Amino acid sequence: LVFKSSLPSLLRPISSLLPPISSLLSPLSSLLSTPSSIFPPSFSSHPFFLPTMSDEDSIMRLVSAVYVLPCPMVNQPMKTSFAASFDTATKDHPNSVTLMRSSDTARRKLADALEQVRSVANVPGSKHQNVLNLAKDYVPKIHRILFSCKVQPEMAVLNKKLEFQWISGMENNKHVKKDDALMYELAISIATCSLASAGAASEEAVAGRFPAAAKLFNAAAGAQTCLHEDLLPQWITLGSETEVSQLPSEVAGPVAEAFRGLYLAHAQQMAVATALTKGASPANYSLLAKLCRGLKEEMQGFVEAMRSHAAAQYSKMNPSLTVFITFQMGIYESMMHYFWARLMWSKDKYGLAIAILHKAAAWAETRKYASAAVGIPDPADRSSPVKAVEKDILDYRGHLRSLLDEWEKDNRTVYFDSVPNSVKEEDLVTKGVVIKKPEAFVLESPEPVQLGPKARAEMRAPPPQVLPRFNSGSGLPPGFITPAPVALPPEDDLPPPVYAPQQLQRTDSDLAREMQAKFDMHGQ
């Protein structure tokens, strides 16, 4: 279909907006084997970000819009010091002292970077990327401390209680959540990596760098996978003194599982946006429609997972998150029908294409009431996060109406194809396509450091040695002498302790309580 030159630039042939994504996304196996083609927000007045494109790219802007949750915050970072708490356990071991001091420095730098994300002050580079880099530097250090305590529990004596204080970024109520378990500190630090990666991804999307944004969203999903599948299951029990409700939502297993799926969906959004910005033709309408259906299914899966398995945490989050995801599900349903209608029109199924395009227009309209099955939340509502994309929604609606008018006119005057009153399920997209390839977040096996008091160097003599001479008057048999005593080598020359997996039978919370008990006894 060739549009009239008098129509707005938005209504130019959609083939000029859509690339031949068969080369990018088809066959699908080719896409999955090319990470750079699909992969991979500072916290401002809006918790989501849009690429700064022109009005004619409204479809692409709607596809790539994401909702961003802020990172957690460290509360009173100066009150927690590994060096002070492990002073007795590490003072005789230079390497151990260095680890504790570097961990304190890394933690305080991370706390400062998290404060900068919330502030309006300008800093060089990406705020979220800075947080991500510092969190990645801190995580191996806290992991090494935790591992060292696990393999030497009897030596992990504290001089001062460790208390890790964090404020959740996911929850509306900014209450301080405290815990003394090293596993808690490690888990929420990895969650910080995930949220910072998602924030950095949104910044890339704002700049229109969608492949880089997709890669970062997949990295965020990988960190959530590490939490859900590896780290949190090791935290077998929280103990009698710690309740799940006392911990931030960031370290809840069901939340990690749900956000893994959400970040993978965001990565797929960036893949679709990449396809829409290539500017070539013809477009693979079939695959675009299936990708949009896959996006809606992933969004539905996130909401269902949160409501079914993390209802307590979900109730604490900003309701705007649910509103915006509801909008995304509606707009992806509309775009699924839109691309599918174009596919039918290209196959000369004019009546069916018009009927499907009517469905696309219906899904793009405002819901008549909150629980309506079809439509999107009101973009004119000033209290809604959808308000930020109101102009793009109006442009998209106008494009659908103009295209529908053109198709209906051509069908009345040229094709005379009957338009069905309803569309059969088999004539619609029956199965969505979901691209799932999180970037693995790997915790390398650390080398433990020495803990505990330095071993006392004892003076002891080796066995007598036979020499070819006689010692008269020594009281020893002929041929023997007594060599001078020798000292043991310095303790720092000893190898690090050997990891014995069979010894690790206790949880991290048990270890924390035992460490505190030893600290109390030491103080007496």
Side-chain angles (χ1 to χ4, degrees):
L1 176 66
V2 179
F3 290 87
K4 297 179 180 178
S5 59
S6 60
L7 291 175
S9 59
L10 174 65
L11 304 182
R12 69 192 187 195
I14 193 66
S15 61
S16 65
L17 293 176
L18 299 177
I21 66 169
S22 57
S23 62
L24 177 66
L25 299 176
S26 180
L28 189 57
S29 59
S30 172
L31 170 68
L32 295 177
S33 64
T34 311
S36 61
S37 66
I38 63 169
F39 286 121
S42 79
F43 189 80
S44 67
S45 58
H46 294 294
F48 53 91
F49 292 80
L50 299 169
T52 52
M53 301 291 177
S54 61
D55 292 341
E56 66 182 6
D57 296 314
S58 296
I59 294 177
M60 182 275 299
R61 286 167 56 86
L62 292 175
V63 165
S64 59
V66 297
Y67 189 100
V68 176
L69 289 170
C71 297
M73 302 286 292
V74 180
N75 185 61
Q76 297 182 335
M78 300 302 293
K79 290 187 65 175
T80 300
S81 171
F82 295 106
S85 296
F86 286 94
D87 180 58
T88 298
T90 61
K91 64 181 181 181
D92 294 330
H93 315 292
N95 290 340
S96 304
V97 172
T98 300
L99 173 63
M100 300 303 167
R101 291 177 179 174
S102 63
S103 298
D104 286 338
T105 301
R107 191 174 194 268
R108 288 163 189 168
K109 286 183 178 180
L110 176 59
D112 291 342
L114 289 168
E115 286 284 352
Q116 289 178 350
V117 171
R118 299 293 185 93
S119 71
V120 295
N122 292 326
V123 297
S126 165
K127 292 182 178 181
H128 280 95
Q129 188 63 52
N130 187 37
V131 170
L132 179 59
N133 294 338
L134 292 172
K136 285 184 174 181
D137 178 63
Y138 177 58
V139 164
K141 292 179 171 62
I142 182 64
H143 188 212
R144 191 179 184 190
I145 294 173
L146 172 62
F147 192 73
S148 299
C149 292
K150 282 186 174 182
V151 299
Q152 306 163 93
E154 69 284 354
M155 297 296 183
V157 180
L158 293 177
N159 294 83
K160 179 182 177 182
K161 181 180 180 180
L162 278 172
E163 185 176 71
F164 305 106
Q165 300 184 19
W166 287 78
I167 301 174
S168 173
M170 290 184 172
E171 300 173 9
N172 268 343
N173 296 325
K174 302 306 178 184
H175 299 311
V176 177
K177 304 294 180 72
K178 307 176 183 179
D179 203 284
D180 56 3
L182 291 167
M183 184 69 84
Y184 166 65
E185 178 74 357
L186 178 60
I188 198 165
S189 298
I190 293 176
T192 301
C193 287
S194 178
L195 290 165
S197 185
S202 69
E203 292 171 351
E204 293 291 338
V206 168
R209 295 187 289 266
F210 301 117
K215 182 176 177 64
L216 285 165
F217 275 126
N218 273 313
Q224 296 291 345
T225 301
C226 176
L227 283 173
H228 176 251
E229 297 182 0
D230 300 328
L231 195 63
L232 295 178
Q234 296 178 26
W235 204 349
I236 302 171
T237 175
L238 297 176
S240 59
E241 298 180 2
T242 305
E243 299 291 338
V244 174
S245 59
Q246 297 174 353
L247 297 176
S249 297
E250 286 87 339
V251 294
V255 173
E257 182 181 19
F259 272 86
R260 172 188 179 274
L262 180 63
Y263 289 148
L264 287 174
H266 288 341
Q268 181 158 322
Q269 287 179 246
M270 300 303 114
V272 176
T274 300
L276 294 174
T277 56
K278 291 295 182 179
S281 60
N284 188 330
Y285 296 126
S286 175
L287 189 53
L288 278 172
K290 293 175 181 178
L291 287 170
C292 286
R293 173 161 181 150
L295 283 170
K296 180 183 179 180
E297 292 170 351
E298 286 295 288
M299 297 297 178
Q300 285 179 323
F302 169 78
V303 174
E304 291 171 1
M306 292 296 294
R307 288 175 174 171
S308 301
H309 306 297
Q313 289 81 7
Y314 198 35
S315 65
K316 299 176 185 178
M317 296 181 185
N318 194 327
S320 294
L321 172 63
T322 302
V323 174
F324 197 78
I325 290 180
T326 301
F327 154 73
Q328 287 182 302
M329 289 190 290
I331 208 68
Y332 294 142
E333 181 79 14
S334 174
M335 289 187 179
M336 175 192 72
H337 292 308
Y338 169 73
F339 291 124
W340 200 249
R342 283 200 166 272
L343 176 65
M344 295 300 103
W345 187 269
S346 67
K347 292 183 176 182
D348 301 334
K349 298 180 180 181
Y350 306 111
L352 180 60
I354 291 172
I356 296 175
L357 193 60
H358 273 291
K359 293 177 68 68
W363 272 99
E365 293 300 321
T366 300
R367 289 182 172 184
K368 296 181 179 179
Y369 47 91
S371 59
V374 178
I376 60 175
D378 186 5
D381 184 357
R382 293 184 177 274
S383 64
S384 170
V386 186
K387 176 67 177 178
V389 291
E390 180 182 16
K391 186 178 185 304
D392 296 301
I393 294 172
L394 295 177
D395 288 344
Y396 175 60
R397 288 172 176 172
H399 173 60
L400 292 176
R401 286 193 296 268
S402 297
L403 181 60
L404 192 57
D405 289 343
E406 291 290 335
W407 281 6
E408 289 180 335
K409 178 181 177 181
D410 287 350
N411 193 47
R412 287 194 306 268
T413 59
V414 179
Y415 304 118
F416 306 105
D417 195 15
S418 64
V419 179
N421 294 326
S422 61
V423 182
K424 300 178 182 179
E425 287 295 324
E426 56 266 27
D427 291 328
L428 297 173
V429 181
T430 57
K431 186 177 181 180
V433 171
V434 176
I435 304 168
K436 288 189 175 183
K437 194 175 181 182
E439 185 175 298
F441 187 96
V442 180
L443 282 174
E444 300 291 344
S445 297
E447 180 181 347
V449 296
Q450 289 281 350
L451 298 176
K454 187 173 183 178
R456 180 179 300 175
E458 300 178 359
M459 302 295 289
R460 64 187 183 189
Q465 301 177 11
V466 178
L467 296 177
R469 63 187 179 86
F470 178 73
N471 296 314
S472 59
S474 64
L476 295 174
F480 286 84
I481 65 168
T482 303
V486 296
L488 291 176
E491 186 272 348
D492 285 337
D493 292 340
L494 297 177
V498 178
Y499 174 44
Q502 65 273 14
Q503 297 176 4
L504 306 182
Q505 300 296 330
R506 291 167 295 174
T507 66
D508 186 60
S509 295
D510 295 334
L511 176 62
R513 288 192 291 273
E514 289 182 14
M515 291 167 62
Q516 184 59 37
K518 290 180 182 180
F519 163 64
D520 295 337
M521 293 177 62
H522 183 72
Q524 297 174 0

